[in-house]
Amino acid sequence: MPTSRRVVLVTGAARRVGAAIARRLHADGWDLALHYRASASDMQALIAELETARAGSTLKLQAELTAFDRLPELVARTVGHYGRLDALVNNASAFYPTPAGSATPAQWEELFAVNARAPFFLSQAAAPHLRAARGAIVNIADIYADKPRADLAVYAASKAALLAVSRGLAVSLAPEVRVNAVSPGAILWPDGGIDPGMQSNLLAQTPLGRVGDPDDIAGTVAWLLGDSASYITGQVVRVDGGRALG
């Protein structure tokens, strides 16, 4: 049903940082179109939680973001359901080691398809609706886009491409649509864990000396989508505990 509330499409929203973003924007009064790929049970639990708080406020969307034709479909289904689209958060990400010397073309294609191509073409599909709403886009990048880790060469390149996409869209979609990026540092360790020595090393490089929280990212996204950031576009906000300082 058409809604008078602001509507945001969030990709990769079932768990981890994506779920934190969904919860924060929902609490701020947004209606949500929530995309997921494979985490069906996590998404169902999140939908149930949010619907309990405010009925009729969520739309569940499943898609593989490497499937190019599914990208405009996500936007069309969101607008068809709610009658509007005010914001897009490109949060979904593919992440795994890709050291130079053993990386494959298939890994390159997947990482770039999810981390750079999908955000660009989702933004392109959403642009007419976002222009009408004078809306905003936030892309979730990574500090490795600027300072790659040795075993993440292709992943880092894909996130660097996302930063370029963010800046390009900020110019292309102005003045109606603002486009910014958020580059997290150590917020959550990978699902498969991380070597304790590497963990200690990463924290030693972080002036605040601790891991961040998904809510740190969610709060930054909420700010960038809100009226208090109405004169900010084409920027990258690092939420990294100071780690980019070196």
Side-chain angles (χ1 to χ4, degrees):
M1 295 292 292
T3 180
S4 60
R5 292 186 289 266
R6 295 176 299 171
V7 173
V8 58
L9 168 58
V10 183
T11 65
R15 50 196 296 271
R16 294 171 64 89
V17 170
I21 292 170
R23 289 186 177 99
R24 172 58 187 267
L25 295 179
H26 191 267
D28 287 350
W30 293 75
D31 280 353
L32 310 178
L34 300 176
H35 158 267
Y36 71 103
R37 182 181 69 88
S39 302
S41 58
D42 291 311
M43 177 56 76
Q44 195 55 47
L46 178 62
I47 292 285
E49 172 191 333
L50 299 179
E51 285 291 317
T52 297
R54 188 170 72 248
S57 59
T58 63
L59 172 65
K60 180 173 63 174
L61 300 170
Q62 192 282 330
E64 172 56 70
L65 297 183
T66 59
F68 179 79
D69 291 345
R70 299 301 305 277
L71 305 178
E73 176 191 326
L74 292 175
V75 173
R77 289 180 61 189
T78 300
V79 175
H81 183 80
Y82 287 118
R84 63 188 292 175
L85 179 61
D86 301 83
L88 170 64
V89 179
N90 287 303
N91 167 75
S93 182
F95 174 88
Y96 46 79
T98 49
S102 61
T104 67
Q107 291 173 332
W108 178 283
E109 294 297 332
E110 180 183 29
L111 288 167
F112 270 79
V114 175
N115 296 345
R117 188 180 74 178
F120 178 85
F121 285 102
L122 276 171
S123 299
Q124 180 171 272
H129 309 287
L130 297 178
R131 286 188 191 277
R134 299 193 71 86
I137 298 170
V138 176
N139 296 319
I140 306 301
D142 195 303
I143 63 168
Y144 288 133
D146 295 313
K147 293 188 175 182
R149 207 172 77 195
D151 61 335
L152 297 175
V154 179
Y155 169 78
S158 71
K159 288 296 188 176
L162 180 57
L163 293 184
V165 163
S166 302
R167 296 184 181 105
L169 289 172
V171 175
S172 300
L173 301 183
E176 297 91 352
V177 182
R178 296 182 300 104
V179 184
N180 293 288
V182 176
S183 282
I187 301 297
L188 290 171
W189 302 122
D191 285 338
I194 186 171
D195 177 77
M198 180 179 290
Q199 178 176 324
S200 297
N201 184 52
L202 292 176
L203 291 179
Q205 297 174 39
T206 303
L208 292 186
R210 59 179 175 81
V211 175
D213 187 275
D215 288 339
D216 295 326
I217 307 301
T220 305
V221 170
W223 169 63
L224 286 171
L225 294 182
D227 292 339
S228 60
S230 63
Y231 200 55
I232 298 174
T233 196
Q235 302 304 306
V236 181
V237 181
R238 295 182 180 88
V239 185
D240 64 354
R243 191 161 136 212
L245 297 172

